[in-house]
Amino acid sequence: MSARRKPFPFDEFESKWQGRWEEEKAFRTPGPGDEDFDASKPTFYALDMFPYPSGSGLHVGHPEGYTATDIVARYKRKKGFNVLHPMGWDAFGLPAEEHARKTGEHPRINTKNNIDNFRRQLQMLGFCYDWDREVNTTDPEYVKWTQWIFLQIYNSYFDEDAQQAKPVSELEAKGWSKEQIDEVRLAYVAGAPVNWSPDLGTVLANEEVAEWEAKGYTVERRPLQQWMLRITKYAQRLIDELDDLDWPEGIKMLQRNWIGRSDGASVKFSLAPSANSEALIEVFTTRPDTLFGATYMVLAPEHPLVDEITTADQKDAVVNYQKSCATKSEMERGELNKGKSGVATGAHAINPVNAEEIPIWIADYVMMGYGTGAIMAVPAHDTRDYEFAEKFSLPILQVVEAPEGEDWQGFTGNGSAMNSGSLDGLSTPEAKKTITAWLQENDRGEAQINYKLRDWLFSRQRYWGEPFPITWKDGRHFAIAEDELPLLAPELEDYNPTGDPEPLLSKASEWVNLPDGSRRETNTMPQWAGSCWYYLRYCDPGNLEQLLSSEAQDYWLGDPGGVDLYIGGTEHAVLHLLYARFWHKVLNDLGHLKMREPFQKLVNQGLIMGETEYATFRDGEGSLVSFKSVAETPQGFVLKGTSTPLSKEVLSGEEVTKKGDHFVLADNPSIRVREKAEKMSKSRGNVVNPDDVVNAYGADALRLYLMFMGPLEQSAPWNTNGVDGISRFLARVWRVAMEQNQEGEWVRSAKLVEEAPGKDLLKIVHASIKKVGEDIERLRFNTAISQMMECTNAFTSAKQIPLTLFENLLSLLNPFAPHLTEELWERLGRKGRCMDRAWPSYDESALVENEIEMVVQVNGKVRSKIKIAAESPQSDIEAAAHADGNVQVHLEGKTVRKVIVVPGRLVNIVAN
RNA sequence: GCCGCCGUGGCGGAAUUGGCAGACGCUGCGGACUUAAAAUCCGCUUCCGGCAACGGAGUGGGGGUUCGAGUCCCCCCGGCGGCACCA
């Protein structure tokens, strides 16, 4: 990419315009309170998922989504909207802390360097962010409000009747004690088994475990005191309130799945008389209708009743089994799920519906964390119970009739009940209702709803995160005063982990121990905290008194409510998007926010995959050669288009055969052909660096190419030839207006004229205004670009180009290629900036044709095309169709049964 | 296993939502310009037959609805993503 000649001087003008935009604050967005604020303008909020500023800089995936929002933002601005289009940094995070650990340097320094690099890269791409609104989650002013929100959560509880959060001060007023209140806060401390990673020196949320385990870190279960947020109270609202959002169905589904509602019943089992205990074992089941088929019970190995009920002769076996389970991580439990394991406790329970004594087992296929940590096992109609019963020879009793031809053993579908007393003959849903009512009447259980969602484990043992605004005294926690915020972490001598679950901050004893004898909380918040509310801060970033002013909120987030367009990757489908919704709802309940949901419209961009090389192998001289295409011919597969020159006599045009998913050259087994694109990764060596692309092709070309790859939501492989194609397109636009003189300088093209436009050019320009506008609204940037290509091709082949028409094309192209269009705008002597020019309007009458072409089909097959006046009556159209020579050939010897005329499109003559 | 998304040329993808399948771009082939190359411009490029006119086949496979299906319905096959002993 070094000495490539520039087809147009983007390298000169792109940085020029970037400098000017910055100088002139071209992207500044006035808001409520600013002198130049115009409240009458409609608003549009186009939001990107802000990046974690990693040391490796921007990846091409970032500018994909960012270009999309940038185009929409620039388009909406031209349409007269006041557009909020901000950028910031999710800057707390483990890598900066790792760096600090190695260098002894404060993470703030490394973070700042990375941010500067990211900002440079983003500015290089010409995004129209209002940099005055930049936020950084590590700024003390930002941390202050993150901690403030935590205190709001800490100081509230969930009112079940109202289904919303309320301040705990209401409970105080009712005379509740601090102890009682601490039990119901939305932020609470619990001693529970958590995911502790010795390698990372921190505890992880359930949601994070898989990600780190996949990276090779070990994660253990350990009982620790941790801060939790009561997100489970919002489970139902988080499901229900998804309905009205304009989000991809798939993402809604992922969230619903993650929350995992299931409807069923609780059932209480008492112990057999021999146990000599009044204890009840409660289970949750989605199939109460199969209660008669419950032939044994299973408790999770950690279930609190296990010790009490285990009989003397089973004690050793049970204790051993519990020990072996305790050392297994979630991951190992998962891997070992091929075979079931378990041990009988020796105890028995009584099935409430038929008074049968059934054995109680413990097994690790029952999780303590879901439901009650105990199940009734119905081996006939549950796959897992069936497998377990088979292995340990437990009785299997059919209680649901399976359809003809299906084995009843392990049948989990609906059917009619049998062997179930009064339920016999009832359909599964009816049986569920009947038995649930019976359980309730007899105080043996009730209808119940269960969620997979667990409370959010909110504390970390890291340094580089927000400290909790909490102190401890006499074993109780207290909020610090709001005017003490932000509470910042002290500098440390070194950032090495303590090696045990003791947080890093506990090293700073002066900071930790307060004069009154209380101690500061030493945990910090997870990285999610800052990203949960950044979209709010952009609305009013400099506000020292409030999170955001009421005016800013009304103006930016008012009608229709929330962020208008939020674009980002699917990787945040559950975590970030669920957490942010949760915080938003709490703040809404407490009256700090006015709308229920933060993000009205969400779009997930697809992945950009690595460039596909169809064939890679060594040629006769031993150098690596790649082919760009493989053609399938009747003779076999033929390689075409080498990426590097190759000794032609060796391999060009050589035939290869297909073996599995790759191609093999008969006498050269080292040849390999990849058919599928792979994810970009350092290890595969297929990462595309935006800096390189901008150097070789310019920022506009990169922006256009990213948008031209295909629909935004879809993944597609990178293709350098495609970038060349886009670059050629931009060069053609350039050459419509510019030509080189004898000295090689670019001067205004002689083809540009001031005359009135002719019909053909007028038509394609107006069609383009219409289509490009509609396509931007639908986020179909690829087709908008093809339309502009067609328009440009029409200009290229025209002898004269009316300036007024070319101006329109520049205006359409401006949101996509802001530098090129601005440069041409200036060189053509137009006033002001191209970006400030209103979006052109189109004239419907310019689109109408006098004469149209219609397709003529005979029995549904295209046989001819006729040209006919646009307003022709149906009879004329039919007559013209019948008169066509080829049509007559195909009608010969047939009788016309029916003629269908679709105005402006086609005629179909049905004949036999 | 369950849930979700998706299957269109050599490739990325279009197709006004039931109306000309393959727009636009890439690749490839041919041509013009050039001493030559690059760049640029022009033509062809779904497959089969044909010099052509044209004909036939064709949107993962099979069936159906319809004058007409890439698009709607049913069944099957394949790929991708998520969850995964969730009772």
Side-chain angles (χ1 to χ4, degrees), chain A residues 571-626:
Chain A
E571 67 272 21
H572 294 117
V574 273
L575 306 185
H576 159 62
L577 288 170
L578 199 64
Y579 295 152
R581 292 179 65 218
F582 165 51
W583 277 34
H584 191 101
K585 286 180 190 306
V586 175
L587 291 173
N588 173 229
D589 288 350
L590 298 176
H592 300 297
L593 294 177
K594 291 164 194 169
M595 51 281 148
R596 284 198 317 195
E597 285 284 337
F599 314 117
Q600 259 314 302
K601 182 178 171 77
L602 173 76
V603 175
N604 289 118
Q605 86 242 25
L607 280 178
I608 298 177
M609 315 292 271
E611 183 153 25
T612 317
E613 287 175 357
Y614 287 92
T616 310
F617 59 93
R618 295 195 185 283
D619 64 11
E621 276 119 43
S623 21
L624 215 54
V625 179
S626 301

Side-chain angles (χ1 to χ4, degrees), chain A residues 35 67 133 168 187 195 209 372 422 506 513 643 683 692 700 733-734 794 889 911:
Chain A
E35 283 160 27
T67 302
R133 291 177 182 268
V168 292
N195 311 297
V209 172
T372 59
S422 58
S506 61
N513 294 302
S643 65
S683 58
D692 296 341
D700 286 339
V733 174
W734 176 262
V889 171

Side-chain angles (χ1 to χ4, degrees), chain A residues 152-362:
Chain A
Q152 305 309 305
I153 297 170
Y154 176 81
N155 283 320
S156 54
Y157 73 103
F158 194 79
D159 181 325
E160 298 284 352
D161 296 328
Q163 278 294 298
Q164 67 157 87
K166 290 189 174 168
V168 292
S169 55
E170 289 183 9
L171 300 177
E172 259 162 26
K174 282 188 207 162
W176 285 43
S177 68
K178 172 161 171 62
E179 286 74 12
Q180 287 173 310
I181 289 174
D182 285 351
E183 292 293 307
V184 299
R185 291 178 191 276
L186 288 184
Y188 64 100
V189 174
V194 294
N195 311 297
W196 158 250
S197 170
D199 306 348
L200 285 168
T202 188
V203 159
L204 298 170
N206 288 326
E207 288 85 341
E208 295 171 308
V209 172
E211 181 191 336
W212 289 99
E213 279 188 334
K215 289 181 187 166
Y217 289 83
T218 55
V219 179
E220 302 167 355
R221 300 287 285 175
R222 276 217 197 178
L224 285 175
Q225 293 280 313
Q226 297 291 328
W227 283 94
M228 311 286 288
L229 299 189
R230 233 179 271 278
I231 190 172
T232 49
K233 291 289 180 193
Y234 281 82
Q236 194 57 48
R237 280 180 57 190
L238 287 167
I239 292 175
D240 293 342
E241 290 163 21
L242 274 175
D243 289 349
D244 297 330
L245 299 179
D246 185 2
W247 285 23
E249 238 358 91
I251 301 296
K252 290 189 183 183
M253 210 52 88
L254 283 177
Q255 290 218 350
R256 289 194 192 105
N257 241 329
W258 188 266
I259 297 166
R261 173 183 165 131
S262 48
D263 290 69
S266 65
V267 185
K268 290 181 227 165
F269 287 73
S270 49
L271 293 168
S274 56
N276 231 341
S277 164
E278 293 297 305
L280 292 171
I281 300 176
E282 190 173 331
V283 303
F284 171 73
T285 175
T286 54
R287 291 298 298 272
D289 60 299
T290 61
L291 188 47
F292 283 85
T295 52
Y296 64 102
M297 294 187 80
V298 186
L299 306 187
E302 312 90 332
H303 196 283
L305 278 177
V306 174
D307 286 349
E308 184 183 334
I309 64 169
T310 302
T311 58
D313 48 334
Q314 285 300 100
K315 200 95 208 168
D316 288 350
V318 165
V319 170
N320 283 338
Y321 186 73
Q322 283 177 317
K323 271 189 195 150
S324 78
C325 293
T327 56
K328 283 183 213 164
S329 73
E330 296 260 308
M331 185 89 156
E332 287 170 308
R333 270 194 177 190
E335 273 166 14
L336 295 171
N337 85 36
K338 281 142 209 139
K340 293 270 180 295
S341 68
V343 176
T345 61
H348 288 76
I350 295 173
N351 188 333
V353 285
N354 56 14
E356 299 265 342
E357 285 201 11
I358 57 176
I360 305 171
W361 288 63
I362 61 170

Side-chain angles (χ1 to χ4, degrees), chain A residues 425-640:
Chain A
L426 292 181
S427 70
T428 299
E430 287 169 334
K432 281 180 180 174
K433 258 185 233 158
T434 310
I435 190 71
T436 306
W438 182 90
L439 287 167
Q440 185 126 29
E441 263 164 46
N442 294 276
D443 198 23
R444 281 298 178 174
E446 59 189 346
Q448 206 176 64
I449 297 160
N450 241 299
Y451 300 91
K452 277 199 279 185
L453 186 70
R454 320 284 169 81
D455 276 341
W456 176 9
L457 191 142
F458 194 67
S459 42
R460 300 292 183 274
Q461 291 66 47
R462 293 174 188 163
Y463 174 81
W464 194 226
E466 302 88 347
F468 280 77
I470 292 286
T471 59
W472 288 83
K473 193 166 192 182
D474 305 327
R476 306 218 69 92
H477 45 75
F478 299 87
I480 67 172
E482 268 187 31
D483 60 18
E484 286 181 48
L485 300 181
L487 172 67
L488 301 178
E491 305 251 346
L492 294 185
E493 298 274 313
D494 74 274
Y495 299 90
N496 292 315
T498 56
D500 57 56
E502 190 59 27
L504 267 183
L505 283 180
S506 61
K507 291 184 178 183
S509 53
E510 275 186 41
W511 181 83
V512 172
N513 294 302
L514 297 171
D516 68 353
S518 57
R519 287 171 59 84
R520 288 199 190 281
E521 168 65 55
T522 51
N523 281 294
T524 53
M525 299 186 201
Q527 199 182 347
W528 306 112
S531 60
C532 265
W533 69 281
Y534 73 111
Y535 60 95
L536 296 172
R537 192 61 178 173
Y538 285 138
C539 299
D540 198 5
N543 197 327
L544 298 177
E545 312 300 319
Q546 286 168 287
L547 190 70
L548 78 170
S549 73
S550 171
E551 294 77 23
Q553 186 185 160
D554 287 344
Y555 182 69
W556 291 115
L557 300 170
D559 187 42
V563 173
D564 296 296
L565 175 64
Y566 193 21
I567 297 185
T570 339
E571 67 272 21
H572 294 117
V574 273
L575 306 185
H576 159 62
L577 288 170
L578 199 64
Y579 295 152
R581 292 179 65 218
F582 165 51
W583 277 34
H584 191 101
K585 286 180 190 306
V586 175
L587 291 173
N588 173 229
D589 288 350
L590 298 176
H592 300 297
L593 294 177
K594 291 164 194 169
M595 51 281 148
R596 284 198 317 195
E597 285 284 337
F599 314 117
Q600 259 314 302
K601 182 178 171 77
L602 173 76
V603 175
N604 289 118
Q605 86 242 25
L607 280 178
I608 298 177
M609 315 292 271
E611 183 153 25
T612 317
E613 287 175 357
Y614 287 92
T616 310
F617 59 93
R618 295 195 185 283
D619 64 11
E621 276 119 43
S623 21
L624 215 54
V625 179
S626 301
F627 284 101
K628 293 294 179 194
S629 75
V630 180
E632 193 172 1
T633 69
Q635 292 78 40
F637 293 91
V638 175
L639 304 172
K640 287 177 178 174

Side-chain angles (χ1 to χ4, degrees), chain A residues 87-154:
Chain A
M87 182 42 78
W89 319 106
D90 187 14
F92 280 125
L94 203 50
E97 189 167 332
E98 288 283 294
H99 187 264
R101 182 191 293 185
K102 284 182 203 129
T103 60
E105 186 182 85
H106 195 281
R108 180 195 316 123
I109 296 167
N110 181 249
T111 302
K112 185 188 176 299
N113 292 341
N114 290 348
I115 288 177
D116 288 345
N117 186 42
F118 261 71
R119 194 189 302 101
R120 174 192 66 77
Q121 288 188 300
L122 292 178
Q123 282 174 337
M124 171 185 87
L125 289 164
F127 295 131
C128 64
Y129 297 124
D130 178 359
W131 289 105
D132 289 352
R133 291 177 182 268
E134 179 178 346
V135 303
N136 175 341
T137 55
T138 65
D139 268 352
E141 264 311 307
Y142 191 95
V143 167
K144 171 177 164 179
W145 294 107
T146 306
Q147 290 171 331
W148 181 86
I149 296 171
F150 174 81
L151 289 183
Q152 305 309 305
I153 297 170
Y154 176 81

Side-chain angles (χ1 to χ4, degrees), chain A residues 579-800:
Chain A
Y579 295 152
R581 292 179 65 218
F582 165 51
W583 277 34
H584 191 101
K585 286 180 190 306
V586 175
L587 291 173
N588 173 229
D589 288 350
L590 298 176
H592 300 297
L593 294 177
K594 291 164 194 169
M595 51 281 148
R596 284 198 317 195
E597 285 284 337
F599 314 117
Q600 259 314 302
K601 182 178 171 77
L602 173 76
V603 175
N604 289 118
Q605 86 242 25
L607 280 178
I608 298 177
M609 315 292 271
E611 183 153 25
T612 317
E613 287 175 357
Y614 287 92
T616 310
F617 59 93
R618 295 195 185 283
D619 64 11
E621 276 119 43
S623 21
L624 215 54
V625 179
S626 301
F627 284 101
K628 293 294 179 194
S629 75
V630 180
E632 193 172 1
T633 69
Q635 292 78 40
F637 293 91
V638 175
L639 304 172
K640 287 177 178 174
T642 54
S643 65
T644 51
L646 112 145
S647 34
K648 290 194 176 62
E649 67 282 6
V650 186
L651 283 163
S652 188
E654 199 72 54
E655 284 168 28
V656 289
T657 50
K658 194 171 183 180
K659 283 197 180 166
D661 66 348
H662 61 276
F663 301 85
V664 176
L665 190 73
D667 52 358
N668 184 351
S670 68
I671 182 176
R672 223 177 54 102
V673 177
R674 243 188 276 152
E675 274 193 306
K676 256 178 264 159
E678 294 177 312
K679 278 188 188 172
M680 282 193 190
S681 71
K682 275 187 194 148
S683 58
R684 292 195 185 93
N686 60 356
V687 176
V688 174
N689 180 347
D691 282 347
D692 296 341
V693 183
V694 170
N695 281 333
Y697 298 93
D700 286 339
L702 175 57
R703 293 169 60 112
L704 265 281
Y705 174 67
L706 289 170
M707 294 299 98
F708 191 60
M709 291 175 83
L712 183 63
E713 305 81 4
Q714 246 171 64
S715 297
W718 183 265
N719 178 358
T720 304
N721 290 325
V723 189
D724 275 310
I726 282 292
S727 174
R728 275 197 282 274
F729 161 61
L730 291 176
R732 271 205 301 278
V733 174
W734 176 262
R735 287 195 313 267
V736 166
M738 293 286 135
E739 57 191 10
Q740 265 171 314
N741 65 13
Q742 299 286 317
E743 285 77 47
E745 293 161 345
W746 289 106
V747 296
R748 180 173 162 152
S749 163
K751 283 170 79 179
L752 285 173
V753 295
E754 300 288 345
E755 281 151 48
K759 177 95 178 128
D760 287 352
L761 281 184
L762 190 72
K763 190 190 161 196
I764 189 152
V765 169
H766 280 251
S768 300
I769 295 171
K770 182 167 193 252
K771 178 149 178 67
V772 173
E774 286 169 357
D775 282 351
I776 293 175
E777 300 270 3
R778 295 187 305 150
L779 308 181
R780 303 297 292 267
F781 306 108
N782 54 333
T783 49
I785 293 168
S786 7
Q787 180 66 36
M788 290 187 285
M789 285 174 166
E790 287 186 65
C791 186
T792 303
N793 291 345
F795 278 133
T796 302
S797 41
K799 294 203 173 55
Q800 294 203 316

